Amino acid sequence: MMRLQVLLFFSLLCLGVLRGQVSYSVPEEMKKGSVIGNIAHDLGLGVDRLKSGKARIYTGNSEEYVELHRERGVLIIKGRIDRETVCGQTVPCALHFQMILENPMEFYTVTVEITDINDNPPTFERGEIKYEVSESALTGARYVLEKAIDDDVGVNGLSSYTLKPSDNFGLKTTSRVDGTKHVEMVLQKPLDREENEYLYLTLTALDGGEPQLTGTMQIIITVLDVNDNPPVCSKPEYKASVAENAPAGTVITTVKASDKDKGTNGKIIYAISKSAASNLFQINPDDGVLMLKGNIDYEKRRLYELDIQVSDHGGLSDACKVIVDVTDINDNAPSINVMSKSNALSENVRPGTVVTMLNIHDSDSNENGRVMCFLSETTAFSIKSSTNNFFTIVTVGELDRERASEYNITVTCSDEGVPSLSSSVTLTLQISDVNDNAPVFERSSYEAYIVENNTPGLSIFTVKATDADWNQNARVSYILEDSSVNGVPVSSYVSVSADSGVIHAVRSFDYEQIKDFQFRVKAQDGGSPPLSSNVTVKILIQDQNDNPPQVLYPVQTGGSVVAEMVPRSADVGYLVTKV
């Protein structure tokens, strides 16, 4: 509602030009045509005087916001009056002009005060402002904020600020001599980037008008990281397995660690702590991928424990452990170790006699290290498992050196891996002889011929016996067995060479005295006890024309001729005599 204030000043001046002055007070932003005041009445003038005096408003070079309505004697709003445009922050804000009349010429001073209404909210030059604050900033740290501008004045002007949310920061405002308010943001609670990297605050400026107007500005705070968090392994212990034949570069596992910090403070470096096994493995320093670097052998080592160090660039670190289980593959053939063996075996040993003791070792495990052994192509021996990994080779039946004097026993041992691996060893066994074979003559009996009148010592013929045994047991000696021929010892007729079996005539034979005779020859080996056999030998004497015919009848005496008488009448066929 318009409030009208009228001040009349009447001056009695001798010269008589300035007649008085009047002041009005109106709020800004009144509508065009609104009445400011009845200046004719307030100055004590009639409307006729305004008309006759051609009353008008004189503003000089300034813009005219007010006009005079002579017919009504009132001042009205000519155009929009914005106090902030007219006066800015000047208080009070007034329009000064003169009303001039003619016939007679006189003028009056008019002042129209423009009062403020709350038509301008507080505003910030920027709608958003950004700050970077280290999470290590100490409480009490202050940050100057941009001031809001409110074109209104007095109670309608800027009154206060609020900051929300106020978990970490608070506001501190101070009034300055020039009437402005200095505002600061104060850290009240330590920041933690890992908990909240970005803070979004709203600074609100409020005026004192009615209704109250506000303006806001967004404050975005980026919390800068400091290295206040060490890297942390996702697990204190990792378990992985790798086959012993895995090539270099095989990925075993990936170690994971996290660092709540950011940038270089959160950059994690993975490393294997130095140990005897560290040269067999390598870890990617950037992503924690653990790989095989060298050759691993299950038979040498079955488990590796690696200490992994995780560090950030700020010097903070953590540690975890990786347990690598080496899995076995069938890469080792059974190893055959001869613990004890016989190089020679008597042919008369009993069945079940132990020939060789073997220890079989396979460095692999489980079925890869489980071994079975067998003999190839022999029925004279068998292999038996005595205890774990120990085997014995034993005889199965009776041995006969004369059938087989040497055995090459091939032992093959195979594991149960897939594919199966095997090893073989060949054992040579000599069969030693025992005297179990008597000499045997080539014939069951012999007949030989000799011409009478032979020379004593003449070789008649040879008997031959062989012995299947060996060496001394097979050395045959020939012996003439005692017997007699016509009451005469046979040894006076013949002799036998002990070594060669050659039969010699001891005397000269006379067919006319003895035509044949027989004797026995014994063949005896050199074993202990000796074995022997004998054979019958028959000697036939062949006749030689060594005797002239002898006339026994008729008896002839001396050199006389024997005469026989034959009758003249004898017929053909008559018997003359017998010779």
Side-chain angles (χ1 to χ4, degrees):
M1 183 176 179
M2 180 182 72
R3 179 172 59 89
L4 177 64
Q5 295 177 343
V6 179
L7 296 176
L8 289 176
F9 298 93
F10 294 96
S11 299
L12 298 175
L13 298 176
C14 296
L15 298 177
V17 176
L18 176 61
R19 295 299 182 182
Q21 66 179 19
V22 65
S23 295
Y24 299 97
S25 178
V26 295
E28 64 175 329
E29 303 292 346
M30 290 182 66
K31 292 182 179 180
K32 183 180 179 180
S34 297
V35 175
I36 298 174
N38 191 333
I39 193 170
H41 177 270
D42 295 335
L43 290 176
L45 302 173
V47 175
D48 293 337
R49 172 71 180 115
L50 296 180
K51 293 179 179 180
S52 63
K54 299 180 181 179
R56 69 180 188 277
I57 298 297
Y58 174 73
T59 61
N61 294 326
S62 60
E63 184 178 352
E64 291 185 5
Y65 292 98
V66 179
E67 67 177 348
L68 176 64
H69 198 288
R70 287 194 295 257
E71 285 75 11
R72 296 171 56 193
V74 296
L75 293 175
I76 60 174
I77 301 297
K78 182 180 181 182
R80 176 177 175 267
I81 302 175
D82 183 10
R83 193 204 67 80
E84 289 75 32
T85 302
V86 174
C87 299
Q89 293 293 311
T90 302
V91 179
C93 177
L95 298 175
H96 300 279
F97 56 91
Q98 290 77 37
M99 184 178 71
I100 300 174
L101 290 89
E102 299 177 357
N103 300 319
M105 184 177 293
E106 55 186 4
F107 71 91
Y108 298 86
T109 298
V110 182
T111 300
V112 178
E113 181 184 2
I114 308 300
T115 61
D116 186 50
I117 65 171
N118 195 23
D119 60 343
N120 290 286
T123 59
F124 291 93
E125 184 178 342
R126 291 178 289 179
E128 178 183 286
I129 189 169
K130 296 181 179 180
Y131 288 91
E132 291 184 346
V133 182
S134 173
E135 65 176 325
S136 63
L138 300 177
T139 55
R142 300 183 302 173
Y143 304 89
V144 177
L145 299 177
E146 178 183 316
K147 293 184 286 291
I149 298 174
D150 193 329
D151 291 333
D152 295 327
V153 295
V155 294
N156 294 326
L158 182 64
S159 174
S160 61
Y161 292 93
T162 61
L163 182 66
K164 292 182 180 180
S166 58
D167 297 336
N168 296 92
F169 291 91
L171 281 180
K172 180 181 180 182
T173 58
T174 56
S175 297
R176 291 186 170 174
V177 178
D178 59 1
T180 61
K181 291 184 181 296
H182 177 74
V183 59
E184 294 177 338
M185 184 172 62
V186 181
L187 182 63
Q188 296 177 333
K189 179 183 176 181
L191 300 174
D192 188 350
R193 189 206 65 81
E194 292 71 40
E195 181 179 332
N196 202 346
E197 184 175 1
Y198 299 99
L199 299 177
Y200 298 93
L201 309 179
T202 301
L203 179 63
T204 302
L206 303 96
D207 62 22
E210 185 64 37
Q212 190 177 55
L213 300 179
T214 61
T216 60
M217 178 176 67
Q218 187 80 21
I219 301 175
I220 300 175
I221 298 176
T222 301
V223 182
L224 301 179
D225 187 51
V226 295
N227 194 30
D228 59 345
N229 291 280
V232 178
C233 293
S234 61
K235 293 190 292 185
E237 182 177 287
Y238 291 80
K239 290 186 178 181
S241 62
V242 61
E244 62 176 324
N245 67 335
T250 298
V251 174
I252 299 172
T253 188
T254 300
V255 177
K256 292 291 186 182
S258 60
D259 193 319
K260 293 181 179 179
D261 294 324
K262 189 178 181 182
T264 56
N265 294 329
K267 176 71 174 177
I268 298 175
I269 301 172
Y270 299 84
I272 301 176
S273 298
K274 288 296 182 182
S275 66
S278 59
N279 61 333
L280 296 176
F281 302 89
Q282 65 181 6
I283 192 167
N284 189 307
D286 297 323
D287 57 17
V289 175
L290 182 66
M291 294 179 291
L292 191 61
K293 180 181 178 183
N295 296 321
I296 56 176
D297 191 345
Y298 173 86
E299 289 68 43
K300 293 181 179 178
R301 189 167 176 178
R302 301 183 180 185
L303 191 73
Y304 292 91
E305 290 191 11
L306 305 175
D307 293 313
I308 307 299
Q309 186 84 20
V310 292
S311 308
D312 61 23
H313 284 270
L316 300 180
S317 65
D318 191 16
C320 56
K321 181 169 62 175
V322 177
I323 298 176
V324 180
D325 184 21
V326 181
T327 57
D328 183 44
I329 64 164
N330 194 27
D331 60 342
N332 290 281
S335 174
I336 303 175
N337 302 306
V338 180
M339 299 173 59
S340 177
K341 70 171 182 175
S342 299
N343 293 322
L345 194 67
S346 177
E347 63 177 325
N348 65 344
V349 296
R350 289 184 176 184
T353 299
V354 176
V355 176
T356 302
M357 294 178 63
L358 302 174
N359 171 242
I360 313 301
H361 177 70
D362 194 316
S363 300
D364 296 321
S365 64
N366 299 325
E367 63 277 358
N368 293 332
R370 197 171 296 128
V371 177
M372 295 297 294
C373 296
F374 59 90
L375 305 180
S376 60
E377 299 181 1
T378 178
T379 58
F381 304 91
S382 67
I383 188 167
K384 296 181 179 180
S385 175
S386 53
T387 58
N388 188 28
N389 295 329
F390 289 91
F391 293 81
T392 56
I393 299 175
V394 298
T395 59
V396 175
E398 295 183 351
L399 303 177
D400 189 352
R401 191 205 65 82
E402 289 71 41
R403 287 202 305 267
S405 61
E406 180 181 277
Y407 288 93
N408 290 320
I409 306 171
T410 300
V411 182
T412 301
C413 296
S414 303
D415 59 32
E416 296 182 9
V418 178
S420 177
L421 300 179
S422 63
S423 298
S424 298
V425 63
T426 299
L427 307 172
T428 300
L429 178 65
Q430 301 289 339
I431 306 301
S432 61
D433 187 49
V434 296
N435 194 26
D436 58 347
N437 289 281
V440 177
F441 286 97
E442 294 177 347
R443 302 178 190 176
S444 58
S445 63
Y446 290 87
E447 284 188 359
Y449 294 88
I450 185 171
V451 179
E452 64 175 333
N453 300 319
N454 59 287
T455 303
L458 178 66
S459 172
I460 303 175
F461 79 105
T462 301
V463 292
K464 183 67 175 177
T466 57
D467 194 315
D469 294 324
W470 182 73
N471 206 354
Q472 185 67 25
N473 294 330
R475 187 172 298 161
V476 179
S477 297
Y478 300 93
I479 302 171
L480 182 63
E481 289 189 349
D482 292 337
S483 63
S484 62
V485 178
N486 298 328
V488 178
V490 71
S491 58
S492 64
Y493 286 88
V494 292
S495 65
V496 178
S497 173
D499 295 328
S500 63
V502 177
I503 298 178
H504 298 274
V506 175
R507 61 167 66 177
S508 177
F509 294 107
D510 186 354
Y511 174 80
E512 286 72 30
Q513 292 182 4
I514 183 170
K515 295 182 172 52
D516 61 68
F517 63 93
Q518 61 183 22
F519 55 90
R520 294 177 69 82
V521 177
K522 179 170 69 174
Q524 180 176 288
D525 60 29
S528 179
L531 299 179
S532 63
S533 62
N534 48 43
V535 69
T536 299
V537 179
K538 185 176 182 179
I539 302 297
L540 300 173
I541 312 297
Q542 289 183 325
D543 185 36
Q544 197 176 37
N545 193 21
D546 59 344
N547 291 289
Q550 181 180 358
V551 179
L552 299 179
Y553 180 86
V555 178
Q556 187 176 12
T557 60
S560 61
V561 176
V562 178
E564 288 292 340
M565 295 301 290
V566 178
R568 285 189 180 270
S569 58
D571 292 331
V572 178
Y574 176 81
L575 175 61
V576 178
T577 189
K578 290 184 179 181
V579 179

